Every structure is written in structure tokens, then in C-alpha cells.
Amino acid sequence: MKNFALIGAAGYIAPRHMKAIKDTKNNLLAAYDKGDSVGVIDSYFPNADFFVEFERFDRHIEKLKYETDTFLDFVSICSPNYLHDAHIRFALRSGADAICEKPLVLNPWNVDKLIRVEEKTGKRIYNILQLRVHPSIIALRKKVAEGKKDKKFEVDLTYLTSRGHWYHTSWKGDHSKSGGIATNIGVHFYDMLSWIFGDVQENVVHIHEKDRAAGYLEFENARVRWFLSINSDYLPNEIKEKGQTTFRSITIDGEELEFSGGFTDLHTMVYKDILEGNGYGLEAARTAIEIVHSIRNTEPVGLKGDYHPFANGGTLEKVAKRIN
């Protein structure tokens, strides 16, 4: 049984980490969050110590080490994006490996600095890249790898996940803290695309606003038009009529990739891989971080070239049929 601590216990994604720790039969010793709405801990580790001040959380970890010879094996990090780097460093200084949510860090040079920290401490940093363990995504990657080497797939990525006014007031609405919408809700898709289709050859941004972003990415084996939004106005009517608030679609050469199910246990699968000595580290996370950093720092060109139909009021029918 491994000992875990968790940073960011009140966040949306934290319960998936708690579940993964429990499902892999390990123990959560302590958790931290500046917010105290963390009753969900009772469903997983009611005996875990909880702190709302980082200094006391840090002190508790030190006391466990020096007074009871209780050592951390892992620190799970679910904190706001801009704090990941600092919390990863805390984990490694504490003698633990880090398991961190996406994006691992906001800037490519942070990856280089953390490689040095790994070398100095002898500890590892793992990133939650859960789409890489999704069966449908694994099958697609295998298909691409076994296909013609010079083939370029025509891909449309659409991800709409409605968020209320709170989003813009929270850290997620602050570009300096979240990296903006493309970083905050798109980074795992960019990782998936690069993992399947190879190195990035072109990165064009058509739109990058507070509630939507669109662009074009060309990889070794794919031309990708992408559109992301947290504005419910962009949801297709058929989705609204069902009372749903999220829509995700990936079409490849006009055919829909079915990967809507199987998301609930992906974090547990990632944890199992890490505990078995595998998992995805710093270099695996680098490409997606480079992509979102470029998107964040590129001036949008507007509706020019090969852009996603949703960027100009398009429909699902237009997505299904590639428009050149």
C-alpha cells in the first residue's frame, strides 16, 4: 500500500483521483485546499487529514516523516494550472513522486526546469494523459500506425462544454492562471492528436476569445480543424433538446470516432500504469504544452484558410462533410 497526499481536494477533478487511489488499494494520508467544500473525501478516505493552509499541510507532511517515520510515496496534484509547477516541486522535495493533472505546466521551458529537479531529487513526475488509455483512442493509433505512412487524415475536433458566469470569475477565466480556454479544456485533445498523428507541422489560430477558440493543426498524418467553446449557444439543437450541456466529436475522413463512453475509470487506469512502473512523464507532456503555448501566444488570423465550420456558425452537417 502506497501513501498519497492530494493538493486541490475541492476541485472538480479531485474525486477521480481519490477514486483512483482507493481503487488501486492505496491510502490517502492528507489533503489540502484553500476551500473547505471537501465532504467528498468521506466517500473515499474519511480518516485523511485535511488542511486549508498550505503551511500547515507542509508541516504535517514533515511531522509524519520525522516523528512517525511515515513517508509519502506520491502527491496527486489537482490545483489550478498556474500552481502545478510549484506543487510538483513540493512533492519532489518531500521525497514523493508527483502525479499531476493537465496541463502539467503552462510553458515549455518549465518542462526543462523540472527535468533538472527530477535529476536532483531522483523522483519522478507523471502527467494524467487519460485519453492515451482509452480503448477507442488506442485502436485509432494502431490503425494510423499500420496504415500508409504518407496518408493525411482529414480531422475535425469539436468540443463544447457549457460553463456559467462563475467560470470567468474563477481562476479558469484568468488567462495568466489557466492559460486560456484552449489550454484549460483543450490540452488533453492536443496531446491525443499528437500521440496518434505525429509531430506538429503547422499551428494556425483562427479565433481565441474568452469563451471560444478555433484553429488548424497539421501533423505528420493529419490535417485538423478544431473548435472549442464553453458557451452553450454553440451546442447543436439536437444536443440542447436532450438537455445535455456537453458535446464532443471527432470525425476522421468524415466518419465519427466513437469515444463518448469509458471515461469514468480512465484515471484509475492511469494510476495503475504508474504504480506498475509505467506512466507518462515530462517528455510525453511536452508536445501538448508546446501546442497550447503557441496557441496562447499567436495572433489569431480570423476566418481565413481551412477553418472549422463552427467558427462561422456552421452545423454538424458541415462538420461531417469536409469543406475545403
Side-chain angles (χ1 to χ4, degrees):
M1 181 179 288
K2 301 294 185 181
N3 289 325
F4 281 76
L6 188 147
I7 298 175
Y12 164 79
I13 206 67
R16 296 191 190 181
H17 287 260
M18 296 178 199
K19 182 178 185 297
I21 295 168
K22 184 174 182 179
D23 287 350
T24 53
K25 295 179 171 50
N26 294 296
N27 186 40
L28 181 65
L29 291 177
Y32 159 75
D33 201 295
K34 67 178 185 179
D36 60 5
S37 296
V38 293
V40 67
I41 294 176
D42 287 346
S43 299
Y44 300 100
F45 299 99
N47 293 322
D49 292 302
F50 174 69
F51 302 86
V52 294
E53 295 171 316
F54 190 82
E55 293 81 1
R56 291 189 174 187
F57 171 71
D58 184 8
R59 174 176 175 268
H60 180 73
I61 299 303
E62 288 290 295
K63 287 179 68 178
L64 287 175
K65 182 192 302 184
Y66 294 118
E67 295 182 12
T68 68
D69 287 329
T70 303
F71 298 90
L72 284 181
D73 297 293
F74 294 93
V75 176
S76 298
I77 298 165
C78 312
S79 52
N81 300 347
Y82 74 107
L83 296 175
H84 287 176
D85 187 287
H87 290 156
I88 288 169
R89 291 168 181 270
F90 162 80
L92 273 58
R93 283 200 310 273
S94 300
D97 292 335
I99 300 177
C100 186
E101 268 297 338
K102 306 163 298 298
L104 186 73
V105 287
L106 290 177
N107 304 301
W109 55 84
N110 298 136
V111 176
D112 299 323
K113 300 293 186 181
L114 288 176
I115 288 173
R116 185 65 174 155
V117 178
E118 276 192 331
E119 293 171 350
K120 287 290 188 179
T121 61
K123 295 300 177 180
R124 292 290 311 279
I125 301 165
Y126 299 97
N127 201 192
I128 298 288
L129 303 176
Q130 76 268 33
L131 289 183
R132 294 195 185 195
V133 300
H134 193 293
S136 296
I137 305 303
I138 293 172
L140 174 60
R141 186 171 189 256
K142 184 172 184 290
K143 176 183 176 181
V144 171
E146 294 175 350
K148 295 180 180 179
K149 301 303 179 185
D150 59 347
K151 177 175 174 54
K152 289 269 190 179
F153 292 87
E154 304 294 343
V155 180
D156 279 305
L157 164 65
T158 313
Y159 182 48
L160 314 172
T161 180
S162 304
R163 297 290 186 267
H165 296 302
W166 67 268
Y167 183 96
H168 302 293
T169 305
S170 75
W171 64 267
K172 295 183 179 183
D174 185 337
H175 281 211
S176 67
K177 294 181 177 180
S178 70
I181 184 173
T183 303
N184 205 38
I185 71 170
V187 66
H188 54 302
F189 289 113
Y190 302 129
D191 172 74
M192 176 199 73
L193 291 167
S194 64
W195 188 61
I196 295 171
F197 296 114
D199 293 337
V200 178
Q201 296 180 339
E202 188 175 6
N203 188 348
V204 178
V205 180
H206 295 119
I207 298 168
H208 197 190
E209 300 171 354
K210 66 177 184 178
D211 65 351
R212 65 173 185 153
Y216 171 85
L217 278 163
E218 186 161 347
F219 298 91
E220 288 178 83
N221 296 113
R223 288 182 283 263
V224 181
R225 302 183 304 186
W226 58 268
F227 182 85
L228 311 170
S229 180
I230 57 170
N231 189 333
S232 61
D233 290 345
Y234 291 102
L235 287 169
N237 288 330
E238 52 265 48
I239 300 301
K240 293 179 181 178
E241 290 168 1
K242 295 177 183 178
Q244 298 175 356
T245 59
T246 297
F247 173 75
R248 61 171 69 88
S249 170
I250 296 178
T251 62
I252 302 170
D253 289 345
E255 295 185 8
E256 186 74 30
L257 171 66
E258 176 51 50
F259 74 119
S260 56
F263 278 85
T264 54
D265 293 323
L266 294 183
H267 277 69
T268 297
M269 294 170 66
V270 171
Y271 269 67
K272 285 180 179 177
D273 279 350
I274 292 170
L275 290 162
E276 290 171 0
N278 302 308
Y280 293 104
L282 287 169
E283 287 300 338
R286 184 187 293 276
T287 298
I289 292 168
E290 290 175 343
I291 290 172
V292 294
H293 179 266
S294 178
I295 291 171
R296 191 164 63 246
N297 291 282
T298 296
E299 186 70 25
V301 300
L303 300 183
K304 299 178 182 178
D306 194 10
Y307 58 84
H308 192 290
F310 273 41
N312 192 26
T315 64
L316 287 179
E317 288 72 22
K318 288 185 177 180
V319 172
K321 183 179 180 181
R322 190 69 185 247
I323 301 173
N324 296 316

